[in-house]
Amino acid sequence: RDLNSITLPATINQPLSVLQCAAEEMEYVHLLEKALEQETSLERLLYIAAFVVSPYSSAQRRIHKPFNPVLGETFEWVQEGRYRWLSEQVSHHPPVTAWHAQGTGPKERDYTFYGELEFRNRFWGKTADLIPVGSVHLKVPALKEHYSWNKVKVAVHNLILGSIWPDIHGEIVIQNHATKEYAKVSILKATNKDGVGEVQGTVHDATGQAVYKLSGNHLRGLYAELDPSAPASAHFPPPPPPTLFPPH
């Protein structure tokens, strides 16, 4: 059953709106800024993959639902010298949130980050599934690069009895449309709340060859290394320092 048709007490909500929670996409913006400093597109893609996974670290810790905004409601967040963020509720039924962020730092850090997201939900009695519909895009004019990726599912367990815990899981495909390079990052499905957040991923060149390997946990840290399957004769740039995404 669709949760939007069920009346729920306000006590299940957190004191934030969906528009404010959406702005947490920028919590680890330094990863995006670091990506734009890299000399090769594969290294950029590696850091962008870490940036894409990073917002789930905040979402994982929350067990309360944000308030739904009214149609046309907006939220703006500005970090001077870094970026401007604007999110808006563009549809009420179904609820759809759109956002646009613009880098405001040096010219080489100029970027546009935008997307739209609808969460379709299903209530199964003890659990609920939140299924994202929409896409996310990043454009870097100075490099003539355009990246896009998808969001992953959230399963919320123990809604009726016990301790509520969310399980964020699924595969994210990050595509560089300019170079045809791509990354595949899987957040693994957990069997209990102690096993959430495990991440495995690979960064591929335009031929499909895996170049870098990602591993770790989005609650504790992500790590990078050259993929063991990369041919010894290939002169791939060395990976960045092992820890891409620091723990809280």
Side-chain angles (χ1 to χ4, degrees), residues 46 49-50 53-54 56-57 60 168 184-189 194-202 212-225 242-247:
L46 182 60
V53 173
S54 65
Y56 294 115
S57 66
Q60 185 68 60
I168 299 168
K184 288 186 175 182
V185 182
S186 293
I187 303 177
L188 305 184
K189 186 174 183 178
D194 295 324
V196 299
E198 294 300 317
V199 174
Q200 295 178 359
T202 46
Y212 297 124
K213 178 181 177 182
L214 272 171
S215 60
N217 186 294
H218 64 62
L219 292 172
R220 294 187 287 273
L222 295 180
Y223 309 92
E225 59 184 330
T243 303
L244 288 175
F245 170 46

Side-chain angles (χ1 to χ4, degrees), residues 18 20 48 66 79 95 124 175-176 180 220 228 248:
V18 169
Q20 290 170 297
I48 288 171
Q79 280 204 11
W124 305 107
Q175 180 75 53
N176 183 334
K180 308 304 179 185
R220 294 187 287 273
H248 280 271

Side-chain angles (χ1 to χ4, degrees), residues 22-30 32 51 55 83 85 101 111 113:
E24 291 175 352
E25 292 281 336
M26 306 299 284
E27 182 175 2
Y28 292 95
V29 70
H30 70 277
L32 176 54
F51 171 72
Y83 66 85
W85 166 281
Y111 61 84
F113 171 45

